[in-house]
Amino acid sequence: MKDYIEERAIGIANYIIDHNATVRQTAKAFGISKSTVHKDVTERLAQVNPALAKQARKVLDVNKSERHIRGGLATREKYLHQH
């Protein structure tokens, strides 16, 4: 694996942990796709720094479990402002 990819994967993981960020937020901040973020955290980082990968994965799992709630709140907000 190229050095810049390893550094990016570590940077992504640190960003996710520090900002409690979602995959979408992270992708936007780094200017890459959601699938790249996901691959960096789940596959590439696990080879480079398994402990950091585990921490980042924990944050992403929490975000995923809360995703349906956030979507509902966003929809509620949208319709409250329409009337």
Side-chain angles (χ1 to χ4, degrees):
M1 189 179 336
K2 301 213 187 286
D3 289 341
Y4 75 93
I5 294 176
E6 289 180 9
E7 289 173 18
R8 182 185 68 202
I10 292 169
I12 286 171
N14 286 326
Y15 182 85
I16 288 170
I17 294 164
D18 294 344
H19 296 92
N20 202 25
T22 63
V23 172
R24 282 182 186 219
Q25 291 168 335
T26 306
K28 192 173 186 180
F30 282 81
I32 55 178
S33 70
K34 293 185 304 179
S35 57
T36 303
V37 170
H38 191 265
K39 186 167 181 114
D40 279 356
V41 173
T42 57
E43 294 176 22
R44 295 179 179 134
L45 190 61
Q47 296 172 358
V48 180
N49 189 337
L52 188 61
K54 199 172 188 177
Q55 281 182 297
R57 188 75 228 167
K58 228 182 261 184
V59 173
L60 292 179
D61 286 343
V62 168
N63 287 339
K64 187 175 181 183
S65 70
E66 294 173 351
R67 182 173 56 191
H68 67 285
I69 296 168
R70 277 194 219 107
L73 291 175
T75 303
R76 180 173 184 258
E77 232 7 73
K78 174 183 167 184
Y79 287 108
L80 282 175
H81 291 294
Q82 279 186 351
H83 294 121

